[in-house]
Amino acid sequence: MSTHSEEERRERRPTRAAPRPPADPERRAAILAAAREAFAQKGFHRTTMRDVARAAGLAEGTLYNHFQSKDALLLGLFDALGEQTRAALDPQALAGADLRTFLRTLLAAPLGALASENFALFRVIVSEALVRPELGRQFAAGLAQTAQLGAQALAARTGADTPLLHTGLTLVLGRVLEQALSHEPPGDAWAHLPDELTDTLLRTLGPDHA
């Protein structure tokens, strides 16, 4: 005869996980805003899920209903940056623009997304992507998705090609990394950077485009 009580058997019985509540875009945005601020101020490793939940005004269990880990939060923030960049790019408008306007718009979009409070977040993202290959690959895939949007518009043009697009985005990334290494937020010169990079690219095409 078993010596275990019915209550003990119920406690050992596996419980079925409760269904996850439906997505709440406003709450998700509030969580990402809290995570962005926490990561920027304390760093990725010093920030806990409890810190993020407290900053968002939520119970820690509620936070886990939306993001299962700090990695998920970081990827969510990176995706939000990509969405902000892509929202500034209208393929139809780009296809009808002159070459200079096309290139400037394409280069200004990621720079605009990294302005103000997002720049500190960018440093966190880069530091993690460089030392953690699995995150680095996911970040690279996100960058490629944004570049593809510009490539679709560029494919419909004459006088420009995909290597030109790649060169332009590489210039943007290089300048952003240079700024990040200085540990200073972007200054007033940041607003003129799209024009400077566009002029640099057009000069490589020759006097007919400069």
Side-chain angles (χ1 to χ4, degrees):
M1 184 176 180
S2 174
T3 59
H4 296 291
S5 67
E6 180 62 26
E7 183 178 356
E8 289 174 329
R9 286 194 292 271
R10 284 198 301 268
E11 288 178 350
R12 293 197 306 271
R13 188 179 303 159
T15 57
R16 181 175 298 177
R20 181 170 296 182
D24 183 340
E26 292 185 2
R27 177 166 289 181
R28 178 182 173 88
I31 292 171
L32 289 176
R36 179 185 61 201
E37 183 176 354
F39 290 158
Q41 290 184 353
K42 298 182 63 174
F44 179 76
H45 293 286
R46 292 177 58 194
T47 299
T48 66
M49 292 290 277
R50 180 173 297 178
D51 292 332
V52 176
R54 186 181 297 114
L58 300 173
E60 190 172 355
T62 303
L63 174 61
Y64 280 103
N65 286 333
H66 295 270
F67 296 94
Q68 290 296 302
S69 65
K70 289 197 301 180
D71 284 358
L73 281 168
L74 196 60
L75 287 170
L77 286 165
F78 183 76
D79 289 343
L81 285 177
E83 290 171 4
Q84 186 176 343
T85 299
R86 292 187 288 273
L89 300 175
D90 181 351
Q92 293 184 346
L94 287 175
D98 61 85
L99 183 57
R100 191 183 194 286
T101 301
F102 171 87
L103 289 173
R104 189 196 182 285
T105 302
L106 191 68
L107 300 180
L111 290 170
L114 290 174
S116 64
E117 66 273 9
N118 282 336
F119 197 79
L121 172 64
F122 173 78
R123 288 201 297 267
V124 175
I125 290 174
V126 169
S127 64
E128 290 302 306
L130 289 175
V131 299
R132 300 177 59 187
E134 72 282 3
L135 283 179
R137 283 189 287 268
Q138 293 183 70
F139 294 147
L143 291 173
Q145 183 180 2
T146 300
Q148 181 61 29
L149 187 61
Q152 291 172 357
L154 192 60
R157 303 188 59 86
T158 59
D161 53 17
T162 299
L164 180 67
L165 171 65
H166 184 270
T167 300
L169 293 177
T170 300
L171 286 173
V172 168
L173 183 59
R175 290 299 296 271
V176 171
L177 285 173
E178 180 183 27
Q179 186 70 42
L181 290 172
S182 73
H183 289 272
E184 295 291 338
D188 294 338
W190 195 259
H192 303 291
L193 193 52
D195 290 301
E196 294 176 8
L197 296 179
T198 299
D199 291 340
T200 298
L201 286 175
L202 291 177
R203 282 195 293 270
T204 68
L205 295 176
D208 293 337
H209 295 90

